[in-house]
């Protein structure tokens, strides 16, 4: 079947509301468990009713189609109700990071012009501080699981739901209508409001969740990445619901201890069959003294994204659990993974092959395609690309170029059709006139038994030439010298790639998704040199 025929088979009708689509898919699963959080479970039938009540409540506030509501909530059963309820009403949920500051939230309130806020009780003080800082006013603050008495402008989530009968008809949206926003992680400058359509999550479910991961209604899914991230939204909401699976939701940080409790069925009573994580998390788990055995868990599939997976890490995980880690790359702009290994075919050290339905191309500085073996900038063409960055025409035009999306990543295409990650385009280093991938050096350093994590940046030497410097986090009670690590890298890579400087640190700066923020390390070096 040709690519065009393949996509035509999945084409959507002109009228399409994603929330209504998911409710319809699960219309005959009323008694099946949809979500399990730290306080209880939610069946598909209950979810259906609550989504419609939330939609009615937002309409009752006088919100109109395409107006925004801020969704600032820890992962819990109220999160999917809020997200889908807004979409069902034709209102646009803006899912935001729960780890940010009041200043960040004030900016997002003003930038999105949100008319209401759905917030966890534990996050209400930070939101209140943001509302004080902002000139923007909201109509109502709806509080999930409040921990203190509420003010008149605030309403408890459950009371808000029960105040209106369920909305019987979803908003008459199309697949091209704005469905929701996600903010970029803000690893460089202000986060960008990325606008996705109602159709975009449908495409990621069909092309990746069903056809690559082959999720089914028998699965129990658990994601370390939270729902407000593009990766976590697919893992923990849209993918499982598209097939009628069950999802475990966890409000706390995904530490190894917290993750293992869910793997072992100690919280929620069900062991996950599918786990979605990131390389930094896998490294911490494998180094943990209480790592479960393969007999203790029920994992049949493990997914990784957020940063490239070092081959050694995937191989160690596979040896211990007997399950491969399926590594892929996605982005906020493309909503989920577009380049990936598959459960049937894993090539550790690579990000795999293009997901059917997506086309990728590597381009050089001249904008032309580069040959196999040469590094190039990664561009993607696919149906789940975002519509725009809200109120940011310059960045929109730079990223969304016709039918192509510029990812900002460097890759090399291998002879077998797989792609090997080379780092972010602005992280690639040119040492002695030759490109050096920070990730390649980092992946080599973490192969040393004493190293837990590593980050590599370029720093100028006395002659003003770029040299590599590594920041290294050692495992507990481990010891190794800088010279020994340099020799270790020289033995495994071309000599010019070894880090000229090594600094041992207790931790690395990261985004909330676990991505290393090399720009902070570069800023720190610049400040120290001044």
């Amino acid at each position: 079947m040709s690519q065009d025929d393949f996509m035509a088979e999945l084409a959507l009708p002109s009228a399409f509301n994603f929330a209504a689509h998911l409710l319809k898919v699960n219309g005959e699963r009323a008694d099946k468990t949809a979500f399990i959080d730290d306080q209880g479970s939610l069946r598909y039938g209950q979810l259906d009713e609550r989504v419609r009540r939330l939609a009615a409540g937002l309409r009752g506030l006088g919100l109109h189609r395409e107006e925004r509501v801020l969704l600032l909530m820890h992962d819990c059963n109220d999160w999917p109700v809020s997200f889908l309820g807004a979409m069902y009403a034709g209102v646009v949920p803006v899912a935001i990071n729960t780890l940010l500051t009041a200043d960040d939230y004030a900016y997002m309130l003003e930038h999105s012009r949100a008319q209401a806020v759905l917030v966890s009780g534990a996050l209400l003080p930070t939101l209140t501080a943001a509302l004080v800082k902002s000139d923007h006013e909201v109509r109502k603050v709806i509080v999930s699981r409040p921990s203190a008495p509420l003010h008149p402008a605030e309403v408890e989530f459950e009371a808000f739901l029960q105040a209106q009968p369920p909305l019987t008809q979803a908003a008459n949206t199309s697949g091209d209508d704005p469905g929701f926003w996600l903010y970029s992680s803000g690893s460089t400058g202000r986060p960008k409001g990325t606008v996705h359509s109602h159709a975009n999550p449908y495409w990621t479910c069909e092309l990746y969740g069903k056809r690559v991961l082959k999720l089914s209604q028998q699965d129990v899914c658990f994601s370390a990445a939270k729902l407000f991230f593009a990766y976590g939204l697919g893992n923990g909401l849209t993918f499982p619901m598209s097939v009628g699976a069950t999802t475990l939701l966890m409000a706390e940080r995904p530490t190894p201890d917290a993750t293992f409790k869910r793997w072992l069925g100690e919280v929620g009573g069900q062991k996950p069959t599918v786990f979605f994580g990131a390389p930094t998390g896998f490294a911490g788990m494998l180094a943990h003294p209480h790592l479960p055995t393969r007999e203790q868990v029920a994992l049949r599939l493990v997914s990784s994204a957020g940063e490239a997976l070092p081959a050694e890490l995937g191989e160690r995980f596979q040896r211990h659990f007997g399950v491969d880690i399926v590594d892929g790359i996605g982005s906020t702009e493309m909503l989920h993974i577009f380049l990936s290994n598959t459960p049937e075919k894993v090539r550790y050290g690579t990000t795999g092959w293009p997901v059917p339905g997506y086309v990728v191309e590597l381009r050089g500085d001249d904008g032309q395609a580069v040959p196999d073996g040469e590094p190039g900038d990664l561009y993607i063409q696919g149906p789940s690309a975002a519509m725009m960055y809200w109120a940011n025409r310059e960045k929109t035009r730079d990223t969304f170029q016709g039918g192509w999306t510029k990812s900002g990543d460097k890759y090399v295409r291998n002879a077998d059709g797989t792609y090997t990650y080379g780092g972010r385009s602005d992280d690639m280093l040119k040492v002695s006139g030759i490109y050096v991938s920070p990730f390649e050096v980092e992946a080599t350093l973490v192969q040393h038994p004493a190293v837990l994590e590593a980050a590599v940046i370029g720093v100028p030497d006395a002659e003003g030439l770029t040299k590599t410097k590594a920041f290294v986090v050692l495992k507990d009670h481990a010891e190794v010298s800088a010279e020994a690590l340099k020799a270790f890298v020289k033995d495994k890579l071309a000599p010019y790639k070894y880090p000229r400087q090594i600094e041992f640190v207790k931790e690395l700066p990261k985004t909330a998704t676990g991505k290393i923020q090399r720009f902070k390390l570069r800023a720190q070096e610049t400040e120290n040199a001044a």
Side-chain angles (χ1 to χ4, degrees):
M1 182 186 294
S2 70
Q3 178 95 327
D4 289 344
D5 291 340
F6 172 69
M7 297 300 286
E9 201 174 80
L10 299 172
L12 289 169
S14 57
F16 182 77
N17 181 290
F18 182 68
H21 165 72
L22 287 185
L23 296 185
K24 183 178 179 181
V25 165
N26 295 291
E28 297 182 359
R29 297 189 180 99
D31 292 330
K32 188 176 191 297
T33 300
F35 294 96
I36 303 171
D37 69 7
D38 300 336
Q39 295 188 19
S41 63
L42 187 66
R43 296 190 302 274
Y44 273 106
Q46 295 172 309
L47 176 66
D48 185 296
E49 180 187 352
R50 292 170 73 81
V51 164
R52 296 171 192 267
R53 285 186 181 275
L54 192 283
L58 294 178
R59 289 273 187 89
L61 291 177
L63 268 66
H64 300 101
R65 277 181 53 177
E66 298 185 22
E67 288 188 320
R68 272 79 62 192
V69 293
L70 218 62
L71 176 49
L72 173 60
M73 200 176 284
H74 289 136
D75 282 17
C76 67
N77 291 341
D78 291 342
W79 206 107
V81 171
S82 301
F83 184 81
L84 296 175
M87 292 186 75
Y88 193 86
V91 175
V92 178
V94 180
I96 59 174
N97 190 330
T98 59
L99 302 174
L100 302 181
T101 66
D103 285 339
D104 294 317
Y105 298 143
Y107 167 77
M108 291 173 178
L109 282 163
E110 294 174 0
H111 182 250
S112 68
R113 305 167 198 158
Q115 297 299 299
V117 183
L118 294 139
V119 62
S120 289
L123 297 168
L124 183 57
T126 310
L127 173 69
T128 302
L131 288 166
V132 170
K133 291 172 178 285
S134 172
D135 293 331
H136 179 73
E137 294 184 5
V138 299
R139 303 185 193 189
K140 188 67 72 176
V141 174
I142 303 144
V143 186
S144 168
R145 302 174 182 178
S147 54
L150 301 180
H151 296 296
E154 302 161 353
V155 60
E156 193 267 332
F157 189 87
E158 196 63 35
F160 185 73
L161 289 190
Q162 299 306 321
Q164 304 259 6
L167 193 65
T168 56
Q169 186 68 39
N172 185 27
T173 54
S174 77
D176 289 337
D177 284 344
F180 60 96
W181 292 17
L182 299 172
Y183 274 96
S184 65
S185 61
S187 57
T188 54
R190 281 288 195 186
K192 299 179 288 292
T194 311
V195 183
H196 279 285
S197 71
H198 273 265
N200 286 3
Y202 165 82
W203 287 112
T204 61
C205 291
E206 293 297 322
L207 299 177
Y208 195 68
K210 292 182 181 180
R211 283 164 175 76
V212 174
L213 299 183
K214 296 181 174 60
L215 299 179
S216 77
Q217 64 177 331
Q218 282 76 43
D219 279 314
V220 177
C221 299
F222 174 46
S223 175
K226 299 300 184 183
L227 290 169
F228 58 76
F229 295 122
Y231 182 47
L233 180 63
N235 305 341
L237 198 162
T238 64
F239 288 4
M241 282 195 68
S242 73
V243 297
T246 297
T247 301
L248 296 177
L249 297 177
M250 179 176 74
E252 64 185 300
R253 289 178 55 247
T255 61
D257 281 328
T259 299
F260 295 159
K261 286 180 182 178
R262 274 77 185 176
W263 282 11
L264 298 173
E266 294 174 3
V267 179
Q270 292 198 42
K271 293 183 179 182
T273 60
V274 181
F275 177 71
F276 300 87
T280 298
F282 291 125
M285 291 177 207
L286 290 173
H288 198 276
H290 302 302
L291 181 68
T293 66
R294 68 172 67 182
E295 292 77 20
Q296 291 177 293
V297 302
L299 298 174
R300 72 162 188 86
L301 175 66
V302 176
S303 166
S304 178
E307 55 187 333
L309 178 75
E312 185 267 347
L313 197 58
E315 289 162 355
R316 274 201 291 138
F317 189 95
Q318 200 284 333
R319 285 196 299 270
H320 183 85
F321 288 107
V323 179
D324 279 308
I325 297 178
V326 178
D327 186 35
I329 182 175
S331 68
T332 304
E333 291 74 14
M334 293 303 297
L335 189 57
H336 214 276
I337 291 171
F338 50 80
L339 183 65
S340 181
N341 287 270
T342 71
E344 300 82 15
K345 192 164 57 171
V346 170
R347 298 284 186 275
Y348 283 125
T350 80
T351 315
W353 298 263
V355 171
Y358 295 87
V359 178
V360 302
E361 188 174 284
L362 301 184
R363 301 177 187 174
D365 294 339
D366 59 0
Q368 301 302 306
V370 299
D372 287 2
E374 293 292 326
D377 293 307
L378 178 66
Y379 287 74
I380 314 102
Q381 192 175 69
S384 62
M387 303 170 74
M388 69 177 107
Y389 296 128
W390 181 259
N392 195 333
R393 189 178 184 192
E394 180 182 357
K395 287 287 187 182
T396 295
R397 294 174 74 174
D398 182 56
T399 299
F400 305 104
Q401 302 179 8
W404 295 91
T405 300
K406 179 182 177 183
S407 74
D409 296 294
K410 287 277 189 185
Y411 264 88
V412 172
R413 187 179 187 274
N414 306 310
D416 63 354
T418 59
Y419 289 75
T420 298
Y421 183 65
R424 292 290 295 172
S425 297
D426 54 2
D427 284 336
M428 287 291 287
L429 308 175
K430 222 169 190 179
V431 179
S432 302
I434 306 173
Y435 272 119
V436 174
S437 161
F439 173 75
E440 183 182 25
V441 182
E442 292 163 3
T444 303
L445 283 165
V446 298
Q447 291 179 37
H448 193 284
V451 175
L452 178 62
E453 295 178 315
V456 173
I457 64 170
V459 295
D461 64 9
E463 306 298 325
L465 300 174
T466 298
K467 302 298 180 186
T468 48
K469 177 175 181 177
F471 295 82
V472 173
V473 179
L474 296 180
K475 295 176 182 175
D476 289 344
H477 311 301
E479 294 183 6
V480 66
S481 69
E483 292 308 311
L485 285 182
K486 291 178 184 179
F488 182 80
V489 175
K490 282 183 186 179
D491 186 55
K492 294 182 176 296
L493 298 179
Y496 69 87
K497 295 183 179 181
Y498 85 93
R500 302 321 196 259
Q501 300 178 48
I502 292 181
E503 181 177 334
F504 295 103
V505 295
K506 290 185 178 180
E507 61 182 1
L508 298 173
K510 298 172 187 170
T511 67
T513 54
K515 295 179 185 177
I516 295 169
Q517 295 174 306
R518 296 186 188 87
F519 77 96
K520 287 191 175 180
L521 296 173
R522 288 194 292 266
Q524 174 186 309
E525 286 299 299
T526 301
E527 185 178 325
N528 292 341

